[in-house]
Amino acid sequence: MNRKITIAVAALLLAIVIGGVVWTNRPEPPVTGAALPTFDYAAPDSWALKPSPRPPAVWEGVWDIDVVLLASEAAMVANDRIALETRRDDAAETLRDLAAVFEPAGPVYAPYLRAANPDADISAAVLTYLAADNRGRAFVVATDAPLPADVIAAIEADPLLRDRFAGVLFFGERGETGAQAPMVCSRRYKPEDGCVVDVDLRRNGGRISLASDGPVGGRLIDGFIPWLNERASKLAEPLGELEEVEIVEIRRPGETDDALDAEEN
């Protein structure tokens, strides 16, 4: 009898131990939550970073370069356990750290992105920047993800825009899903050279810096402004909105309504 009890107790203990090991090594359930709101990139709060004051348009001064920073590593994930404001703050902090690396090339524009819709958000953000913020300036894209096809198509369709597109500073992983797709390039570059430059980053204690010496941008930034001065055309300042002007009848001196009525009678 005692032997049967001993075996039963041992079996129970073994089952408890095995159950504990299985529970400890179970896969974490996926974190789900309400979908993040769609960003409206015409609104300032959809951008983690925008230069202030606004950089001068090309027709207001000389050529200069903007940096459009697109970081999928800072994309926001739907999560009911973490407040939306906290996720925005975390994304903004990552984007500020990355922006510090690229700011020597020019003022930085960095939109918030959703991890579930990166291509849609990247397209909307870049096309909004081009329509509302670029104002004829040169620009370079710093990214760890491929540019969506509609962004590339928009650059390719406009020769003046294509000329002032300095290219892509790619800080993602090559050979994985983040590998940069073939690019459309300015006339400045030979087809065999392309206009994508890898940027190696060093991460240490939460700080991000260039892993190599030298200014960020390399051959894309170096000499680009002189090339624009010699080869590219600046946009003219756009005309203001059309104003409706009332057409006033022209009369000779003394031609009042009463005088005209008298003549007709």
Side-chain angles (χ1 to χ4, degrees), residues 232-263:
S233 300
K234 288 184 177 181
L235 291 187
E237 183 175 5
L239 298 174
E241 294 184 1
L242 296 178
E243 180 181 352
E244 185 175 344
V245 178
E246 182 182 359
I247 299 176
V248 179
E249 183 182 357
I250 300 175
R251 297 180 179 182
R252 294 190 296 274
E255 283 187 340
T256 63
D257 290 338
D258 292 340
L260 291 174
D261 289 341
E263 284 183 10

PDB file of all heavy atoms in Angstrom, residues 232-263:
ATOM      1  N   ALA A 232      20.780  72.187 -62.581  1.00  0.00           N
ATOM      2  CA  ALA A 232      19.351  72.048 -62.297  1.00  0.00           C
ATOM      3  C   ALA A 232      18.620  73.376 -62.393  1.00  0.00           C
ATOM      4  O   ALA A 232      19.208  74.451 -62.236  1.00  0.00           O
ATOM      5  CB  ALA A 232      19.150  71.443 -60.906  1.00  0.00           C
ATOM      6  N   SER A 233      17.333  73.298 -62.662  1.00  0.00           N
ATOM      7  CA  SER A 233      16.482  74.495 -62.744  1.00  0.00           C
ATOM      8  C   SER A 233      15.692  74.650 -61.447  1.00  0.00           C
ATOM      9  O   SER A 233      15.110  73.680 -60.943  1.00  0.00           O
ATOM     10  CB  SER A 233      15.505  74.371 -63.917  1.00  0.00           C
ATOM     11  OG  SER A 233      16.201  74.237 -65.136  1.00  0.00           O
ATOM     12  N   LYS A 234      15.671  75.882 -60.937  1.00  0.00           N
ATOM     13  CA  LYS A 234      14.887  76.152 -59.737  1.00  0.00           C
ATOM     14  C   LYS A 234      13.413  76.352 -60.087  1.00  0.00           C
ATOM     15  O   LYS A 234      13.090  76.880 -61.160  1.00  0.00           O
ATOM     16  CB  LYS A 234      15.402  77.422 -59.047  1.00  0.00           C
ATOM     17  CG  LYS A 234      16.737  77.271 -58.356  1.00  0.00           C
ATOM     18  CD  LYS A 234      17.092  78.563 -57.616  1.00  0.00           C
ATOM     19  CE  LYS A 234      18.395  78.426 -56.856  1.00  0.00           C
ATOM     20  NZ  LYS A 234      18.729  79.682 -56.116  1.00  0.00           N
ATOM     21  N   LEU A 235      12.564  75.938 -59.174  1.00  0.00           N
ATOM     22  CA  LEU A 235      11.146  76.215 -59.351  1.00  0.00           C
ATOM     23  C   LEU A 235      10.879  77.697 -59.155  1.00  0.00           C
ATOM     24  O   LEU A 235      11.505  78.345 -58.306  1.00  0.00           O
ATOM     25  CB  LEU A 235      10.309  75.423 -58.336  1.00  0.00           C
ATOM     26  CG  LEU A 235      10.226  73.907 -58.498  1.00  0.00           C
ATOM     27  CD1 LEU A 235       9.215  73.345 -57.504  1.00  0.00           C
ATOM     28  CD2 LEU A 235       9.822  73.527 -59.913  1.00  0.00           C
ATOM     29  N   ALA A 236       9.956  78.235 -59.928  1.00  0.00           N
ATOM     30  CA  ALA A 236       9.518  79.614 -59.728  1.00  0.00           C
ATOM     31  C   ALA A 236       8.473  79.647 -58.619  1.00  0.00           C
ATOM     32  O   ALA A 236       7.788  78.652 -58.358  1.00  0.00           O
ATOM     33  CB  ALA A 236       8.933  80.172 -61.014  1.00  0.00           C
ATOM     34  N   GLU A 237       8.361  80.793 -57.974  1.00  0.00           N
ATOM     35  CA  GLU A 237       7.356  80.922 -56.924  1.00  0.00           C
ATOM     36  C   GLU A 237       5.969  80.765 -57.528  1.00  0.00           C
ATOM     37  O   GLU A 237       5.640  81.391 -58.540  1.00  0.00           O
ATOM     38  CB  GLU A 237       7.468  82.286 -56.244  1.00  0.00           C
ATOM     39  CG  GLU A 237       6.492  82.471 -55.093  1.00  0.00           C
ATOM     40  CD  GLU A 237       6.718  83.782 -54.362  1.00  0.00           C
ATOM     41  OE1 GLU A 237       7.573  84.574 -54.808  1.00  0.00           O
ATOM     42  OE2 GLU A 237       6.039  84.010 -53.346  1.00  0.00           O
ATOM     43  N   PRO A 238       5.140  79.893 -56.934  1.00  0.00           N
ATOM     44  CA  PRO A 238       3.799  79.692 -57.505  1.00  0.00           C
ATOM     45  C   PRO A 238       2.949  80.941 -57.386  1.00  0.00           C
ATOM     46  O   PRO A 238       3.111  81.745 -56.463  1.00  0.00           O
ATOM     47  CB  PRO A 238       3.223  78.546 -56.661  1.00  0.00           C
ATOM     48  CG  PRO A 238       4.003  78.565 -55.392  1.00  0.00           C
ATOM     49  CD  PRO A 238       5.366  79.066 -55.742  1.00  0.00           C
ATOM     50  N   LEU A 239       2.042  81.106 -58.349  1.00  0.00           N
ATOM     51  CA  LEU A 239       1.126  82.237 -58.303  1.00  0.00           C
ATOM     52  C   LEU A 239       0.147  82.058 -57.154  1.00  0.00           C
ATOM     53  O   LEU A 239      -0.158  80.938 -56.734  1.00  0.00           O
ATOM     54  CB  LEU A 239       0.348  82.338 -59.627  1.00  0.00           C
ATOM     55  CG  LEU A 239       1.185  82.596 -60.883  1.00  0.00           C
ATOM     56  CD1 LEU A 239       0.292  82.516 -62.121  1.00  0.00           C
ATOM     57  CD2 LEU A 239       1.866  83.952 -60.807  1.00  0.00           C
ATOM     58  N   GLY A 240      -0.364  83.170 -56.644  1.00  0.00           N
ATOM     59  CA  GLY A 240      -1.366  83.088 -55.597  1.00  0.00           C
ATOM     60  C   GLY A 240      -2.688  82.598 -56.153  1.00  0.00           C
ATOM     61  O   GLY A 240      -2.841  82.368 -57.362  1.00  0.00           O
ATOM     62  N   GLU A 241      -3.667  82.459 -55.282  1.00  0.00           N
ATOM     63  CA  GLU A 241      -4.979  82.006 -55.726  1.00  0.00           C
ATOM     64  C   GLU A 241      -5.628  83.055 -56.636  1.00  0.00           C
ATOM     65  O   GLU A 241      -5.428  84.254 -56.467  1.00  0.00           O
ATOM     66  CB  GLU A 241      -5.888  81.757 -54.517  1.00  0.00           C
ATOM     67  CG  GLU A 241      -5.414  80.608 -53.635  1.00  0.00           C
ATOM     68  CD  GLU A 241      -6.385  80.345 -52.507  1.00  0.00           C
ATOM     69  OE1 GLU A 241      -7.424  81.044 -52.437  1.00  0.00           O
ATOM     70  OE2 GLU A 241      -6.104  79.453 -51.694  1.00  0.00           O
ATOM     71  N   LEU A 242      -6.375  82.562 -57.623  1.00  0.00           N
ATOM     72  CA  LEU A 242      -7.068  83.470 -58.525  1.00  0.00           C
ATOM     73  C   LEU A 242      -8.172  84.207 -57.779  1.00  0.00           C
ATOM     74  O   LEU A 242      -8.870  83.646 -56.933  1.00  0.00           O
ATOM     75  CB  LEU A 242      -7.667  82.687 -59.694  1.00  0.00           C
ATOM     76  CG  LEU A 242      -6.650  82.002 -60.622  1.00  0.00           C
ATOM     77  CD1 LEU A 242      -7.390  81.214 -61.698  1.00  0.00           C
ATOM     78  CD2 LEU A 242      -5.722  83.024 -61.249  1.00  0.00           C
ATOM     79  N   GLU A 243      -8.291  85.468 -58.066  1.00  0.00           N
ATOM     80  CA  GLU A 243      -9.316  86.293 -57.417  1.00  0.00           C
ATOM     81  C   GLU A 243     -10.335  86.735 -58.460  1.00  0.00           C
ATOM     82  O   GLU A 243      -9.974  87.208 -59.538  1.00  0.00           O
ATOM     83  CB  GLU A 243      -8.662  87.526 -56.767  1.00  0.00           C
ATOM     84  CG  GLU A 243      -9.656  88.436 -56.066  1.00  0.00           C
ATOM     85  CD  GLU A 243      -8.967  89.650 -55.452  1.00  0.00           C
ATOM     86  OE1 GLU A 243      -7.720  89.682 -55.455  1.00  0.00           O
ATOM     87  OE2 GLU A 243      -9.675  90.550 -54.993  1.00  0.00           O
ATOM     88  N   GLU A 244     -11.608  86.565 -58.132  1.00  0.00           N
ATOM     89  CA  GLU A 244     -12.663  86.960 -59.058  1.00  0.00           C
ATOM     90  C   GLU A 244     -12.798  88.486 -59.058  1.00  0.00           C
ATOM     91  O   GLU A 244     -12.916  89.107 -58.004  1.00  0.00           O
ATOM     92  CB  GLU A 244     -13.990  86.327 -58.642  1.00  0.00           C
ATOM     93  CG  GLU A 244     -15.108  86.582 -59.624  1.00  0.00           C
ATOM     94  CD  GLU A 244     -16.379  85.849 -59.259  1.00  0.00           C
ATOM     95  OE1 GLU A 244     -16.310  84.910 -58.425  1.00  0.00           O
ATOM     96  OE2 GLU A 244     -17.438  86.228 -59.796  1.00  0.00           O
ATOM     97  N   VAL A 245     -12.740  89.069 -60.233  1.00  0.00           N
ATOM     98  CA  VAL A 245     -12.813  90.525 -60.370  1.00  0.00           C
ATOM     99  C   VAL A 245     -14.125  90.885 -61.063  1.00  0.00           C
ATOM    100  O   VAL A 245     -14.433  90.361 -62.143  1.00  0.00           O
ATOM    101  CB  VAL A 245     -11.622  91.072 -61.181  1.00  0.00           C
ATOM    102  CG1 VAL A 245     -11.750  92.583 -61.355  1.00  0.00           C
ATOM    103  CG2 VAL A 245     -10.316  90.706 -60.498  1.00  0.00           C
ATOM    104  N   GLU A 246     -14.878  91.765 -60.472  1.00  0.00           N
ATOM    105  CA  GLU A 246     -16.143  92.198 -61.057  1.00  0.00           C
ATOM    106  C   GLU A 246     -15.878  93.125 -62.239  1.00  0.00           C
ATOM    107  O   GLU A 246     -15.065  94.043 -62.160  1.00  0.00           O
ATOM    108  CB  GLU A 246     -16.988  92.916 -60.008  1.00  0.00           C
ATOM    109  CG  GLU A 246     -18.343  93.355 -60.531  1.00  0.00           C
ATOM    110  CD  GLU A 246     -19.147  94.104 -59.476  1.00  0.00           C
ATOM    111  OE1 GLU A 246     -18.637  94.250 -58.340  1.00  0.00           O
ATOM    112  OE2 GLU A 246     -20.263  94.541 -59.801  1.00  0.00           O
ATOM    113  N   ILE A 247     -16.543  92.831 -63.356  1.00  0.00           N
ATOM    114  CA  ILE A 247     -16.382  93.668 -64.551  1.00  0.00           C
ATOM    115  C   ILE A 247     -17.321  94.866 -64.436  1.00  0.00           C
ATOM    116  O   ILE A 247     -18.543  94.716 -64.305  1.00  0.00           O
ATOM    117  CB  ILE A 247     -16.692  92.866 -65.823  1.00  0.00           C
ATOM    118  CG1 ILE A 247     -15.710  91.687 -65.943  1.00  0.00           C
ATOM    119  CG2 ILE A 247     -16.613  93.757 -67.063  1.00  0.00           C
ATOM    120  CD1 ILE A 247     -15.996  90.783 -67.108  1.00  0.00           C
ATOM    121  N   VAL A 248     -16.753  96.064 -64.458  1.00  0.00           N
ATOM    122  CA  VAL A 248     -17.522  97.298 -64.299  1.00  0.00           C
ATOM    123  C   VAL A 248     -17.722  97.940 -65.666  1.00  0.00           C
ATOM    124  O   VAL A 248     -16.781  98.049 -66.463  1.00  0.00           O
ATOM    125  CB  VAL A 248     -16.801  98.283 -63.355  1.00  0.00           C
ATOM    126  CG1 VAL A 248     -17.611  99.570 -63.226  1.00  0.00           C
ATOM    127  CG2 VAL A 248     -16.565  97.631 -62.002  1.00  0.00           C
ATOM    128  N   GLU A 249     -18.931  98.336 -65.940  1.00  0.00           N
ATOM    129  CA  GLU A 249     -19.226  98.989 -67.210  1.00  0.00           C
ATOM    130  C   GLU A 249     -18.517 100.338 -67.298  1.00  0.00           C
ATOM    131  O   GLU A 249     -18.489 101.100 -66.334  1.00  0.00           O
ATOM    132  CB  GLU A 249     -20.742  99.204 -67.328  1.00  0.00           C
ATOM    133  CG  GLU A 249     -21.163  99.815 -68.654  1.00  0.00           C
ATOM    134  CD  GLU A 249     -22.656 100.042 -68.711  1.00  0.00           C
ATOM    135  OE1 GLU A 249     -23.361  99.669 -67.737  1.00  0.00           O
ATOM    136  OE2 GLU A 249     -23.133 100.599 -69.721  1.00  0.00           O
ATOM    137  N   ILE A 250     -17.907 100.587 -68.436  1.00  0.00           N
ATOM    138  CA  ILE A 250     -17.181 101.848 -68.629  1.00  0.00           C
ATOM    139  C   ILE A 250     -18.121 102.892 -69.243  1.00  0.00           C
ATOM    140  O   ILE A 250     -18.777 102.629 -70.262  1.00  0.00           O
ATOM    141  CB  ILE A 250     -15.957 101.640 -69.546  1.00  0.00           C
ATOM    142  CG1 ILE A 250     -15.005 100.605 -68.919  1.00  0.00           C
ATOM    143  CG2 ILE A 250     -15.241 102.959 -69.808  1.00  0.00           C
ATOM    144  CD1 ILE A 250     -13.839 100.249 -69.792  1.00  0.00           C
ATOM    145  N   ARG A 251     -18.190 104.050 -68.630  1.00  0.00           N
ATOM    146  CA  ARG A 251     -19.074 105.127 -69.118  1.00  0.00           C
ATOM    147  C   ARG A 251     -18.281 106.417 -69.281  1.00  0.00           C
ATOM    148  O   ARG A 251     -17.286 106.636 -68.610  1.00  0.00           O
ATOM    149  CB  ARG A 251     -20.217 105.368 -68.136  1.00  0.00           C
ATOM    150  CG  ARG A 251     -21.139 104.167 -67.965  1.00  0.00           C
ATOM    151  CD  ARG A 251     -22.256 104.468 -66.982  1.00  0.00           C
ATOM    152  NE  ARG A 251     -23.164 103.350 -66.823  1.00  0.00           N
ATOM    153  CZ  ARG A 251     -24.246 103.368 -66.050  1.00  0.00           C
ATOM    154  NH1 ARG A 251     -24.534 104.490 -65.362  1.00  0.00           N
ATOM    155  NH2 ARG A 251     -25.023 102.324 -65.957  1.00  0.00           N
ATOM    156  N   ARG A 252     -18.826 107.280 -70.178  1.00  0.00           N
ATOM    157  CA  ARG A 252     -18.235 108.599 -70.347  1.00  0.00           C
ATOM    158  C   ARG A 252     -18.707 109.502 -69.219  1.00  0.00           C
ATOM    159  O   ARG A 252     -19.738 109.217 -68.572  1.00  0.00           O
ATOM    160  CB  ARG A 252     -18.645 109.193 -71.707  1.00  0.00           C
ATOM    161  CG  ARG A 252     -18.081 108.414 -72.905  1.00  0.00           C
ATOM    162  CD  ARG A 252     -18.321 109.193 -74.187  1.00  0.00           C
ATOM    163  NE  ARG A 252     -19.760 109.332 -74.445  1.00  0.00           N
ATOM    164  CZ  ARG A 252     -20.494 108.444 -75.077  1.00  0.00           C
ATOM    165  NH1 ARG A 252     -19.939 107.331 -75.539  1.00  0.00           N
ATOM    166  NH2 ARG A 252     -21.785 108.636 -75.279  1.00  0.00           N
ATOM    167  N   PRO A 253     -18.022 110.605 -68.992  1.00  0.00           N
ATOM    168  CA  PRO A 253     -18.457 111.528 -67.934  1.00  0.00           C
ATOM    169  C   PRO A 253     -19.896 111.970 -68.158  1.00  0.00           C
ATOM    170  O   PRO A 253     -20.287 112.324 -69.277  1.00  0.00           O
ATOM    171  CB  PRO A 253     -17.479 112.699 -68.057  1.00  0.00           C
ATOM    172  CG  PRO A 253     -16.259 112.107 -68.675  1.00  0.00           C
ATOM    173  CD  PRO A 253     -16.745 111.044 -69.603  1.00  0.00           C
ATOM    174  N   GLY A 254     -20.709 111.951 -67.128  1.00  0.00           N
ATOM    175  CA  GLY A 254     -22.097 112.390 -67.195  1.00  0.00           C
ATOM    176  C   GLY A 254     -23.074 111.303 -67.582  1.00  0.00           C
ATOM    177  O   GLY A 254     -24.286 111.520 -67.593  1.00  0.00           O
ATOM    178  N   GLU A 255     -22.579 110.101 -67.928  1.00  0.00           N
ATOM    179  CA  GLU A 255     -23.469 109.008 -68.315  1.00  0.00           C
ATOM    180  C   GLU A 255     -23.966 108.277 -67.066  1.00  0.00           C
ATOM    181  O   GLU A 255     -23.382 107.287 -66.637  1.00  0.00           O
ATOM    182  CB  GLU A 255     -22.757 108.023 -69.256  1.00  0.00           C
ATOM    183  CG  GLU A 255     -22.634 108.531 -70.681  1.00  0.00           C
ATOM    184  CD  GLU A 255     -22.073 107.452 -71.599  1.00  0.00           C
ATOM    185  OE1 GLU A 255     -21.453 106.506 -71.092  1.00  0.00           O
ATOM    186  OE2 GLU A 255     -22.269 107.570 -72.822  1.00  0.00           O
ATOM    187  N   THR A 256     -25.047 108.835 -66.517  1.00  0.00           N
ATOM    188  CA  THR A 256     -25.671 108.184 -65.369  1.00  0.00           C
ATOM    189  C   THR A 256     -26.817 107.315 -65.863  1.00  0.00           C
ATOM    190  O   THR A 256     -27.207 107.373 -67.038  1.00  0.00           O
ATOM    191  CB  THR A 256     -26.206 109.230 -64.387  1.00  0.00           C
ATOM    192  OG1 THR A 256     -27.231 109.991 -65.051  1.00  0.00           O
ATOM    193  CG2 THR A 256     -25.094 110.184 -63.933  1.00  0.00           C
ATOM    194  N   ASP A 257     -27.371 106.493 -64.963  1.00  0.00           N
ATOM    195  CA  ASP A 257     -28.516 105.662 -65.340  1.00  0.00           C
ATOM    196  C   ASP A 257     -29.689 106.526 -65.807  1.00  0.00           C
ATOM    197  O   ASP A 257     -30.374 106.195 -66.779  1.00  0.00           O
ATOM    198  CB  ASP A 257     -28.943 104.788 -64.151  1.00  0.00           C
ATOM    199  CG  ASP A 257     -27.918 103.711 -63.844  1.00  0.00           C
ATOM    200  OD1 ASP A 257     -27.130 103.378 -64.752  1.00  0.00           O
ATOM    201  OD2 ASP A 257     -27.915 103.199 -62.710  1.00  0.00           O
ATOM    202  N   ASP A 258     -29.940 107.676 -65.123  1.00  0.00           N
ATOM    203  CA  ASP A 258     -31.046 108.555 -65.496  1.00  0.00           C
ATOM    204  C   ASP A 258     -30.839 109.144 -66.883  1.00  0.00           C
ATOM    205  O   ASP A 258     -31.775 109.230 -67.702  1.00  0.00           O
ATOM    206  CB  ASP A 258     -31.204 109.688 -64.476  1.00  0.00           C
ATOM    207  CG  ASP A 258     -31.681 109.159 -63.128  1.00  0.00           C
ATOM    208  OD1 ASP A 258     -32.238 108.026 -63.107  1.00  0.00           O
ATOM    209  OD2 ASP A 258     -31.484 109.849 -62.110  1.00  0.00           O
ATOM    210  N   ALA A 259     -29.591 109.561 -67.187  1.00  0.00           N
ATOM    211  CA  ALA A 259     -29.308 110.152 -68.493  1.00  0.00           C
ATOM    212  C   ALA A 259     -29.491 109.130 -69.605  1.00  0.00           C
ATOM    213  O   ALA A 259     -30.045 109.436 -70.673  1.00  0.00           O
ATOM    214  CB  ALA A 259     -27.885 110.714 -68.513  1.00  0.00           C
ATOM    215  N   LEU A 260     -29.059 107.870 -69.352  1.00  0.00           N
ATOM    216  CA  LEU A 260     -29.216 106.846 -70.362  1.00  0.00           C
ATOM    217  C   LEU A 260     -30.691 106.513 -70.588  1.00  0.00           C
ATOM    218  O   LEU A 260     -31.115 106.284 -71.724  1.00  0.00           O
ATOM    219  CB  LEU A 260     -28.438 105.567 -69.930  1.00  0.00           C
ATOM    220  CG  LEU A 260     -26.910 105.697 -69.947  1.00  0.00           C
ATOM    221  CD1 LEU A 260     -26.286 104.436 -69.372  1.00  0.00           C
ATOM    222  CD2 LEU A 260     -26.413 105.918 -71.375  1.00  0.00           C
ATOM    223  N   ASP A 261     -31.489 106.501 -69.490  1.00  0.00           N
ATOM    224  CA  ASP A 261     -32.921 106.243 -69.627  1.00  0.00           C
ATOM    225  C   ASP A 261     -33.617 107.342 -70.448  1.00  0.00           C
ATOM    226  O   ASP A 261     -34.494 107.091 -71.278  1.00  0.00           O
ATOM    227  CB  ASP A 261     -33.588 106.144 -68.255  1.00  0.00           C
ATOM    228  CG  ASP A 261     -33.180 104.867 -67.534  1.00  0.00           C
ATOM    229  OD1 ASP A 261     -32.707 103.932 -68.212  1.00  0.00           O
ATOM    230  OD2 ASP A 261     -33.319 104.793 -66.295  1.00  0.00           O
ATOM    231  N   ALA A 262     -33.174 108.603 -70.210  1.00  0.00           N
ATOM    232  CA  ALA A 262     -33.769 109.744 -70.930  1.00  0.00           C
ATOM    233  C   ALA A 262     -33.468 109.646 -72.418  1.00  0.00           C
ATOM    234  O   ALA A 262     -34.315 109.934 -73.259  1.00  0.00           O
ATOM    235  CB  ALA A 262     -33.248 111.055 -70.356  1.00  0.00           C
ATOM    236  N   GLU A 263     -32.271 109.230 -72.775  1.00  0.00           N
ATOM    237  CA  GLU A 263     -31.896 109.110 -74.177  1.00  0.00           C
ATOM    238  C   GLU A 263     -32.722 108.019 -74.859  1.00  0.00           C
ATOM    239  O   GLU A 263     -33.162 108.161 -76.001  1.00  0.00           O
ATOM    240  CB  GLU A 263     -30.399 108.770 -74.303  1.00  0.00           C
ATOM    241  CG  GLU A 263     -29.490 109.950 -74.044  1.00  0.00           C
ATOM    242  CD  GLU A 263     -28.026 109.564 -74.264  1.00  0.00           C
ATOM    243  OE1 GLU A 263     -27.808 108.446 -74.801  1.00  0.00           O
ATOM    244  OE2 GLU A 263     -27.153 110.339 -73.922  1.00  0.00           O
TER     245      GLU A 263
END
